[in-house]
Amino acid sequence: MNKSNDEYKKYVERHAVPSPIVSNCVKAFLVGGTICCMGQVLFLLYKNVLEMSEINARALVSATLIFGAILLTGFDVFDDIAKFGGAGTLVPITGFANAVVAPALDTKAEGWILGVGAKLFTISGPVILYGTLASAVYGTVYYIVMLIMR
Amino acid sequence: MDIFLGCLKAFIVGGIFCVISQVLIDKTKFTPARILVGYVVMGVILTAIGIYEPIVKFAGAGATVPLTGFGYTLAKGVEKAVDEIGILGVLSGGITATATGITAAIVFGFIAALVFPSHPKK
Amino acid sequence: MRKIIKFKNKPKILSSASVVGKKENRGPLSKYFDIHDETDKFGQKTFEQAESEMQRLALNLALSKIKTPQKNIEAVFAGDLMNQCTGSSYGLASFGIPYFGLYGACSTAAEGLILSGMTVNSGIYEKVACLSSSHNSSAERQFRFPLEYGNQRPPTAQWTATAAAAFIIGKEDTEEFKSYACLAEALAGKIIDKGISDANNMGAAMAPAAADTILRFFSQNKHSPEDFDLIVTGDLGYEGHSICKEILADEGLKLGDNFNDCGKLIFDKETQDTHSGGSGCGCSASVTAGYIMEGFKNGIFRDVLLVGTGALMSPMSIQQGLSIAGIGHLIRISAVDKNEE
């Protein structure tokens, strides 16, 4: 009771049951690896069988995985896989897709404009914002470097 | 055999990306949203300094499917656009290259919202 | 010295009722709850409206158990976690009972019982009602993530219970029904902030507040912890409860097996995947209204201390990085025929 806030914080951190980090990592590796492996199979399929360019095949792989993740979210299965796989479902594009659709499903009652329309981006919005921002910064640097080098 | 090897590489590299994030979540209490943002920005930076391209060459989908791959696509798109149309490419390149993914997520996400309800947590 | 409130006129708990969701109904206390719904929606369109409906059902049932019309209730003290207490105000609007909306986070049930006790004991009111509720789905949406969002919860995280409970507190028994328990003493909690800002470890944020109230209670009277059949905290969960126990032990107050936590009681840790245990306004409310009141009825409990714990924060305060303050309101519930100070 007489502990200072810092002492109490340290005590609480020591006391806390730690996350089962080793088993979490193994699961994340297996689930994430499997999703990427599926991506590779699809990529080869699109490239070799449908004879698409690498860039287009890659884009279609993303779209396919996004579609799959959204379907699984709709059927109330994705959160179970994510509970098991942790970062294994978060880091692949599937995590982004889930982040888009989950708030959309949830906010229908708040209307199509300020509910679904606005909340669709609550988690994925920052990803698009900072990703685009980073690309614009890189583009500017790249442009200047190219000017100098020419 | 090539297919198998390609898949194995994708599996291992993709898996490693996920493990790094898992360690960050469990050890530093990073929220998932921060991880996502961090990965995309990291992807742009690693591509910019030339590290990510070789990883993509090596691991294929193992490097393009994780969100760092999203950053890679953004960076490659902006490079290509700047090469082709100059300074305007800075503004158009990133989003153009990633348009398929973003639009797919928005369109499928919206359709899903029309069709499915959300369920209580189990 | 802030003294213990002694209810000399022993306000009686005339009736209590509990309404829970699917997961709570699968838990170890299932048989003590009155109403449950397998869909968690209670026939409503949204989970928020479902929470209101749960309060309505709880009050209706508590009234009908003692065949008392709602016009005999002079005031209702109620609260919940949803934005600006909408669970209570929408759920109780149709009753037309003068309404006091409370916000004590998850300590609301204990806070309401204390206020009910004070107003009935002093003779201001003859009969009042006290309610609180929480709904896992409405709380997830407000405080955490969308329901279908896939994430892993750390071991210290708690599970907001889908539960509502109502109590009717009155001066005298009705003619037909005899009550078993009454409110004997109370001690209001202080807001205590020990700098914990991890929203996934609420137990640790609230434990010092609960410990403070318990220490102040035992330092002011002759009771020892063994005098009570049960000393139960609201929703510290496994993590917070064990911290609270250690704090008390450090201060020289050793609590034994009669020290428990509603958040630990309501779910089965092994099979229900609830991590550190239950939480939410409805957690301590429904455990008290169901399990503890049944204990008084069967004579298993004669004297119980409930320390309703609450984490005083909002999604805004968490986003701004502020630490989470806790509170612990203590109420002593005794058997009606127990005669001692």
Side-chain angles (χ1 to χ4, degrees), chain A residues 20 41 56 67 94 139:
Chain A
V41 172
N56 286 346
F67 180 77
T94 46

Side-chain angles (χ1 to χ4, degrees), chain A residues 1 3 8 11 15 98 106, chain C residues 141 150 194 204 239 242 246:
Chain A
M1 214 60 217
K3 285 190 178 83
Y8 183 66
Y11 159 75
H15 191 281
N98 175 245
D106 236 25
Chain C
R141 267 159 56 75
K194 279 288 192 180
E239 191 66 29
S242 123
E246 283 180 24

